[in-house]
């Protein structure tokens, strides 16, 4: 009975935001409420759980990073804009986007996914393209960052937990899944460059100066102290919601996901599109597993994390700062991630 209710809650989370605009506009509060319901239904609600969540330093680090970066952008936005304009005078937009996606993807395992995504949004914010085109570039770049960050235990919580659970060395994940991740990052860069090229060729864009002028009002409206504070609070609530959801859905993971054949588990890990992939990895990874099982589990989790906004930290930060809606993200994230999942499945299992 409990599992059936949890499945129903999961279905609501996956569908309702796409059909109810009020919920889509307030997705953080919606997920927070659903998280409370999930932990209540599963019986996971307790003072120990709340204490564990509130002691998670990552919640405060990410929130503080978002607030500080927003404040710095407000202070230095004109200089950043001039810097980007200067680069684009000597480099085509498609090459710039390719370099941005690839460099952030490859370096995120060292500078962390948080820093990489903060750099991404501040640059994308002022690119001379429309909002819908920024969404596409951001989704592609966040998938690149999410994949790249997993190559070392420094990059993100998932890789830290996996290395700790397996008791492996610093470069274990680079050796194990790097052969799949590094080429995928370059493919994401090419995809972003191809999209910008298509946009440039077919959409007859305005001059860059006109775009920058057009963006000034949007930047002025979004990047002020009031919006920075509100956005930081929303991201904190979003992170709390993911912690609650992960705890609430643990019975589903324990009863169904953990006992699956590795090939089915690869696809079942698409659940990481709405649940914390670090928590799922901690539940699924075991030192007794062979490298093939570990490789399949991690690739399924990492790729699926690009599908929806709750999928990973870069998505949450970028969507919050660039005002990207759930429907906008899913329209791009789901087809791209599914295509990558299919290709990766062929290379891993066939």
């Amino acid at each position: 009975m409990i599992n059936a209710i949890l499945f129903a809650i999961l279905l609501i989370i996956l569908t309702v935001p796409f059909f109810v605009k009020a919920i889509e506009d307030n997705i953080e509060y919606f997920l927070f409420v659903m998280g409370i319901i999930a932990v209540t239904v599963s019986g996971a609600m307790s003072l120990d759980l709340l204490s564990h969540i509130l002691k998670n330093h990552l919640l405060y680090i990410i929130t503080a990073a978002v607030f500080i970066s927003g404040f710095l952008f407000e202070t230095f936005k004109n200089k950043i804009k001039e810097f980007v304009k200067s680069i684009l005078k000597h480099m085509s937009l498609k090459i710039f986007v390719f370099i941005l996606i690839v460099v952030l993807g490859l370096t995120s395992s060292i500078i962390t996914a948080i820093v990489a995504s903060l750099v991404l949004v501040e640059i994308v914010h002022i690119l001379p393209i429309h909002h819908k085109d920024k969404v596409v570039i951001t989704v592609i770049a966040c998938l690149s960052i999410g994949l790249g960050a997993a190559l070392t235990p420094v990059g993100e919580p998932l890789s830290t937990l996996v290395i700790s659970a397996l008791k492996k060395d610093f470069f274990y994940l680079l050796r194990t899944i790097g052969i799949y991740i590094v080429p995928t990052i370059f493919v994401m860069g090419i995809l972003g460059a191809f999209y910008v090229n298509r946009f440039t060729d077919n959409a007859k864009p305005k001059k860059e100066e006109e775009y920058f002028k057009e963006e000034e009002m949007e930047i002025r409206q979004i990047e002020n102290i009031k919006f920075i504070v509100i956005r930081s609070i929303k991201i904190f609530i979003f992170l709390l919601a993911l912690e609650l959801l992960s705890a609430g859905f643990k019975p589903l993971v324990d009863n169904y996901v953990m006992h699956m054949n590795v090939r089915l588990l690869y696809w079942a890990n698409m659940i990481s599109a709405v649940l914390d992939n670090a928590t799922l990895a901690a539940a699924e990874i075991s030192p007794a597993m062979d490298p093939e099982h570990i490789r399949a589990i991690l690739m399924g989790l990492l790729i699926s994390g690009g599908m929806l906004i709750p999928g990973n930290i870069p998505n949450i930060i970028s969507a919050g700062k660039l005002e990207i809606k759930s429907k906008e993200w899913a329209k791009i994230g789901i087809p791209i991630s599914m295509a990558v999942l299919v290709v990766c499945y062929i290379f891993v299992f066939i």
Side-chain angles (χ1 to χ4, degrees):
M1 181 64 178
I2 290 176
N3 287 335
I5 296 174
L6 290 176
F7 271 119
I9 293 171
L10 182 61
L11 185 62
I12 291 171
I13 291 171
L14 290 171
T15 56
V16 171
F18 299 107
F19 299 103
V20 182
K21 190 176 185 304
I23 289 178
E24 182 185 27
D25 292 341
N26 297 279
I27 187 71
E28 302 87 358
Y29 308 117
F30 169 72
L31 290 178
F32 183 71
V33 171
M34 298 308 292
I36 292 174
I37 294 173
V39 293
T40 302
V41 169
S42 65
M45 177 65 81
S46 68
L47 291 177
D48 287 341
L49 173 65
L50 296 178
S51 175
H52 171 75
I53 292 174
L54 294 175
K55 287 179 180 178
N56 184 350
H57 295 158
L58 196 61
L59 298 177
Y60 308 103
I61 292 172
I62 295 174
T63 305
V66 169
F67 176 81
I68 292 170
S69 69
F71 181 78
L72 291 175
F73 178 73
E74 173 67 16
T75 304
F76 299 107
K77 63 186 178 185
N78 290 329
K79 291 184 178 180
I80 297 173
K81 183 170 67 175
E82 291 302 319
F83 174 71
V84 173
K85 286 172 66 175
S86 175
I87 292 178
L88 292 177
K89 286 179 181 178
H90 302 90
M91 181 187 297
S92 70
L93 187 57
K94 65 178 180 179
I95 293 177
F96 179 80
V97 168
F98 171 81
I99 293 174
L100 180 68
I101 292 172
V102 172
V103 169
L104 289 180
L106 293 177
T107 60
S108 60
S109 62
I110 302 300
I111 65 175
T112 76
I114 298 172
V115 173
S117 54
L118 289 172
V119 172
L120 170 70
V121 293
E122 303 305 0
I123 293 177
V124 169
H125 213 329
I126 55 180
L127 284 181
I129 53 179
H130 288 303
H131 174 76
K132 64 183 181 65
D133 303 301
K134 291 180 180 181
V135 172
V136 177
I137 301 305
T138 301
V139 173
I140 294 172
C142 282
L143 180 55
S144 175
I145 292 171
L147 289 169
L151 293 177
T152 75
V154 175
E156 65 166 328
L158 177 145
S159 52
T160 305
L161 285 170
V162 170
I163 290 297
S164 176
L166 297 177
K167 294 180 173 57
K168 297 294 184 178
D169 62 272
F170 188 86
F171 295 105
Y172 173 77
L173 290 175
L174 179 61
R175 295 195 304 271
T176 305
I177 57 178
I179 191 173
Y180 304 108
I181 286 180
V182 173
T184 304
I185 289 174
F186 277 92
V187 170
M188 291 299 103
I190 293 170
L191 184 60
F194 176 80
Y195 177 81
V196 169
N197 189 54
R198 176 211 61 79
F199 164 74
T200 303
D201 290 343
N202 299 332
K204 298 179 181 179
K206 304 173 186 178
K207 294 179 180 180
E208 289 177 5
E209 290 78 7
E210 295 180 42
Y211 274 108
F212 281 117
K213 184 177 180 180
E214 182 180 290
E215 291 295 309
E216 283 178 0
M217 287 302 294
E218 177 189 351
I219 293 172
R220 226 182 266 122
Q221 178 185 9
I222 293 175
E223 294 298 335
N224 57 55
I225 298 300
K226 177 183 176 182
F227 277 91
I228 291 169
V229 171
I230 292 174
R231 186 177 58 215
S232 299
I233 292 172
K234 282 188 171 184
I235 286 178
F236 183 74
I237 293 172
F238 209 142
L239 295 170
L240 284 177
L242 290 185
E243 290 278 355
L244 290 169
L245 288 170
S246 294
F249 285 118
K250 192 174 186 301
L252 292 184
V253 175
D254 291 344
N255 294 329
Y256 297 99
V257 176
M258 290 181 63
H259 304 291
M260 287 183 175
N261 173 277
V262 68
R263 297 194 178 203
L264 291 176
L265 186 58
Y266 177 84
W267 295 107
N269 274 337
M270 285 194 292
I271 196 174
S272 72
V274 293
L275 296 182
D276 178 38
N277 58 18
T279 301
L280 289 170
E284 297 174 15
I285 295 291
S286 165
M289 290 180 172
D290 58 47
E292 180 186 10
H293 281 67
I294 293 171
R295 193 178 299 123
I297 289 171
L298 292 180
M299 292 307 296
L301 288 172
L302 293 169
I303 297 169
S304 300
M307 288 185 171
L308 301 174
I309 293 173
N312 61 36
I313 291 170
N315 301 5
I316 295 168
I317 292 175
S318 301
K321 296 202 73 176
L322 294 173
E323 302 288 307
I324 300 175
K325 303 300 182 184
S326 299
K327 197 178 298 184
E328 291 179 299
W329 193 287
K331 186 178 179 181
I332 308 300
I334 290 177
I336 291 178
S337 296
M338 283 300 300
V340 177
L341 278 170
V342 170
V343 173
C344 185
Y345 181 86
I346 293 172
F347 280 101
V348 172
F349 293 109
I350 299 178

